[in-house]
Amino acid sequence: FFAAFRIYVVGGTEKWQKKAAEFFPTMHFLGSEKNFDSSALAQADYVIINTNAVSHACTEKAKNAAPKSAAIIMTSNNNLPLLRQKLLETIQ
C-alpha cells in the first residue's frame, strides 16, 4: 500500500532506521544528521520526522525542505506498528 506514495523518513537512531527500513521497505531513509540531502525531499508526499536522536536543526531542515503539498508526520515513538497506524490515518 505505501509503495504508491513517496515517503521519506528523517531522524531516529540508526538502529531504529534499520528496523524501520525492514518494516517499511518502500520508504526512503535520509538519516539523522543535519547534512542530509534536502533535495531528496522535493518529491515527497509524506515526510516522517522521528524526533528521537535528532537535532533541532535537522528537524527544521526537513520541515523546510518538504514541499508545501507534503504532509509532515512528527513522532517520538519508536513503535513501528503505531507509526504505520499513524501514517494510515494521515493518508485516509
Side-chain angles (χ1 to χ4, degrees), residues 1-7 24 26-27 84-85 87-88 91:
F1 173 76
F2 293 124
F5 302 98
R6 293 174 299 234
I7 303 171
F24 301 109
T26 60
M27 291 186 187
R84 179 181 57 217
Q85 185 61 37
L87 186 55
L88 286 170
I91 290 173

Side-chain angles (χ1 to χ4, degrees), residues 36-88:
F36 72 88
D37 181 10
S38 60
S39 67
L41 296 177
Q43 300 300 316
D45 295 316
Y46 297 90
V47 177
I48 298 170
I49 303 173
N50 185 332
T51 58
N52 287 332
V54 69
S55 69
H56 178 73
C58 183
T59 300
E60 289 302 307
K61 181 178 177 180
K63 288 196 295 189
N64 292 331
K68 299 285 186 230
S69 60
I72 296 176
I73 300 168
M74 304 288 285
T75 185
S76 61
N77 188 329
N78 288 328
N79 184 308
L80 295 172
L82 286 179
L83 177 58
R84 179 181 57 217
Q85 185 61 37
K86 188 172 188 177
L87 186 55
L88 286 170

Side-chain angles (χ1 to χ4, degrees), residues 13-34:
T13 64
E14 189 175 317
K15 183 178 177 181
W16 177 81
Q17 282 204 2
K18 286 181 181 178
K19 285 183 180 179
E22 292 172 11
F23 199 82
F24 301 109
T26 60
M27 291 186 187
H28 307 279
F29 293 84
L30 302 179
S32 297
E33 301 296 325
K34 69 178 180 179

